[in-house]
Amino acid sequence: MTGTTLDDYTDRYARRVRGMTASEIRALFAVASRPEVVSLAGGAPYIAALPLDAVGEMLGRLGAEHGTTTLQYGIGQGTLELRERICEVMALSGIDASCGASPEDVVVTVGGQQALDLVARLFLDPGDVVLAEGPTYVGALGVFQAAQAQVAHVPMDDEGLIPEALEIAIADLARAGRRVKFLYTIPTYQNPAGVTLSEERRERVLDICERAGLLVVEDDPYGQLGFAGEAPAPLRARRRDGVFYLSTFSKTFAPGLRVGWILAPHAVRDKLVIASEAQILCPSGFAQAAVSTYLATMPWREQLKIYREVYRERRDALLDALTDLMPEGTTWTTPAGGLFVWATLPDGLDAKAMMPRAVAARVAYVPGTGFYADGTGTGNMRLNFSFPPPERIREGVRRLAGVMEQEIAMRRVFGAIGGTGPRRRQGGSDTPGPDLA
């Protein structure tokens, strides 16, 4: 074999592996975890807000008193006890028996990420197209890339996905002879943009997808983390047919347990279970028991309120710091829940090119390019507020603002610095339509 690659297995990989790259976020982990760096990059929940002594005792009892079952193999769909508890959790958002939610149609997964991968395995062939908000969750982009599908981004604004842009994208792709399988959407407290699809648009988006014969994959990790009143009812609470509802306990309990779920149309459930068994055989019995016991014995609804209060305080600290310290021309979203703010830089600044200088100044964020399949978003960054305390958030913004001011000053003297790729504002391009990667 000839060439300059350091990987001796390059010519042996399956075709679907070609083009796989590390996400922008994973590449930042080593740097962002250093204690001297203020990390506004990750999406980690504030686990210290949990009653860790009580949780630790609960986990100890599960091993000592119930280890013969919790440490044993289980069934591929997940335990009935947990699936019943999941239905109780979904009912808080309006997804209940009246709209067809049943433990029989819940499949327990290893976090929300496996839920995404299972849907992709069932429905995506190489060359298929997925419609997704622009920007969208970086982990979903990795799943679709691994499935050899292409992503067409649909723009957003302050009210979320733009229905007219969705219609244009569907029509353009149909004219091009492209096969669109589903719409992937995070309608509530979206990651990374922080915006929420408005009540009126939710019905319109569902109507558009129904007319076009598109499935809807609704990803809802943050819906119970709102700061002001109730979030709009999920899409799955409005339509049962053709809507897959994905969620996780990673943001509301413990990401380390890796427990998520899919509520699927009844006809698809068995195929999801078969696909999951082929991947993992069965989800962790211990992790499932931990979540079930937490939901059965601890005041988890009160814990949700604590998380909301903590995150509201930290969001406010971030927004105040941005208002006080950011250079003129910087804009950002104002999330009503979730964990993230999406910022747009002054014209001419490139978030990805600026990243090494930010790390040198001991602050980290995620460049916007990581949230687009086509590499756009150079003028954006995602900022997380869930993990650092308020004073640390302000210090991080102070450092970031200093880097940006230096970039602006250097640009005045020397002209453009770094990359000059296409930019996207909050949710997409100025001209709505499909943007295939």
Side-chain angles (χ1 to χ4, degrees):
M1 186 177 70
T2 61
T4 59
T5 178
L6 298 179
D7 186 347
D8 292 337
Y9 299 90
T10 298
D11 60 346
R12 304 186 189 189
Y13 289 129
R15 280 191 292 271
R16 62 180 172 272
V17 176
R18 297 171 189 172
M20 281 188 179
T21 56
S23 75
E24 303 276 1
I25 297 175
R26 197 179 84 181
L28 286 169
F29 278 167
V31 171
S33 62
R34 297 174 187 168
E36 70 272 15
V37 174
V38 178
S39 177
L40 304 174
Y46 186 58
I47 297 300
L50 284 169
L52 292 177
D53 289 348
V55 170
E57 292 175 7
M58 177 193 78
L59 295 176
R61 288 195 303 273
L62 286 176
E65 300 174 14
H66 306 284
T68 55
T69 55
T70 61
L71 300 177
Q72 186 56 273
Y73 288 117
I75 62 173
Q77 188 175 355
T79 66
L80 176 60
E81 179 183 7
L82 178 56
R83 287 184 278 122
E84 289 174 341
R85 296 293 178 191
I86 286 171
C87 285
E88 293 175 10
V89 171
M90 291 191 295
L92 288 182
S93 302
I95 304 174
D96 55 23
S98 68
C99 58
S102 162
E104 291 303 308
D105 295 330
V106 172
V107 177
V108 178
T109 60
V110 181
Q113 193 68 18
Q114 193 210 5
L116 271 172
D117 189 70
L118 289 175
V119 172
R121 284 173 181 266
L122 259 60
F123 290 102
L124 294 179
D125 288 316
D128 283 345
V129 178
V130 175
L131 291 168
E133 295 139 344
T136 193
Y137 169 51
V138 64
L141 292 177
V143 166
F144 303 148
Q145 180 189 59
Q148 295 178 277
Q150 294 183 305
V151 174
H153 287 297
V154 181
M156 293 187 292
D157 60 18
D158 288 336
E159 293 185 57
L161 187 75
I162 301 171
E164 295 82 1
L166 177 61
E167 288 185 299
I168 292 171
I170 292 171
D172 287 350
L173 288 162
R175 279 193 297 271
R178 305 304 302 276
R179 185 166 68 163
V180 182
K181 283 295 186 68
F182 56 77
L183 169 68
Y184 169 71
T185 178
I186 312 169
T188 306
Y189 316 135
Q190 202 252 9
N191 175 10
V195 300
T196 295
L197 187 64
S198 65
E199 184 76 33
E200 182 265 342
R201 287 188 181 182
R202 291 182 181 233
E203 292 295 337
R204 291 174 63 193
V205 166
L206 286 168
D207 287 342
I208 290 167
C209 290
E210 186 174 317
R211 288 196 299 270
L214 293 185
L215 301 175
V216 176
V217 178
E218 178 181 19
D219 199 356
D220 189 26
Y222 313 103
Q224 294 181 342
L225 296 176
F227 306 146
E230 296 298 322
L235 304 180
R236 181 57 181 78
R238 302 159 191 268
R239 309 276 173 96
R240 69 172 70 182
D241 295 328
V243 179
F244 292 75
Y245 181 82
L246 283 53
S247 193
T248 178
F249 291 104
S250 291
K251 303 302 188 292
T252 57
F253 180 27
L257 291 174
R258 310 305 304 131
V259 177
W261 74 91
I262 307 173
L263 176 64
H266 185 75
V268 184
R269 180 207 59 196
D270 286 346
K271 289 183 174 60
L272 286 168
V273 173
I274 292 168
S276 181
E277 288 173 340
Q279 282 185 322
I280 62 166
L281 190 61
C282 62
S284 163
F286 188 84
Q288 291 181 84
V291 174
S292 297
T293 306
Y294 173 76
L295 295 173
T297 64
M298 294 194 181
W300 59 272
R301 292 174 180 83
E302 295 302 313
Q303 185 61 45
L304 285 176
K305 294 178 182 178
I306 292 171
Y307 274 133
R308 291 174 191 142
E309 292 168 3
V310 169
Y311 296 155
R312 182 192 300 113
E313 179 188 25
R314 294 179 180 203
R315 177 208 60 177
D316 291 346
L318 177 56
L319 295 178
D320 288 346
L322 292 171
T323 299
D324 293 344
L325 301 171
M326 277 287 116
E328 184 178 352
T330 312
T331 60
W332 52 87
T333 57
T334 302
L339 309 182
F340 306 108
V341 165
W342 182 250
T344 300
L345 304 181
D347 286 341
L349 296 193
D350 182 325
K352 189 168 185 177
M354 190 174 71
M355 190 66 209
R357 292 179 278 278
V359 170
R362 296 171 299 161
V363 61
Y365 56 85
V366 184
T369 50
F371 304 98
Y372 288 98
D374 54 10
T376 55
T378 58
N380 300 103
M381 61 174 65
R382 191 192 74 177
L383 303 175
N384 166 257
F385 53 80
S386 61
F387 194 74
E391 64 277 7
R392 192 79 168 152
I393 289 173
R394 189 172 185 87
E395 173 60 19
V397 174
R398 185 193 67 77
R399 295 177 187 180
L400 179 56
V403 172
M404 291 169 61
E405 294 283 10
Q406 290 178 349
E407 294 284 301
I408 292 169
M410 291 174 66
R411 185 175 176 82
R412 290 194 187 110
V413 175
F414 299 108
I417 302 167
T420 55
R423 294 162 58 89
R424 282 220 176 108
R425 289 278 170 175
Q426 174 173 303
S429 61
D430 294 332
T431 303
D435 203 351
L436 286 173

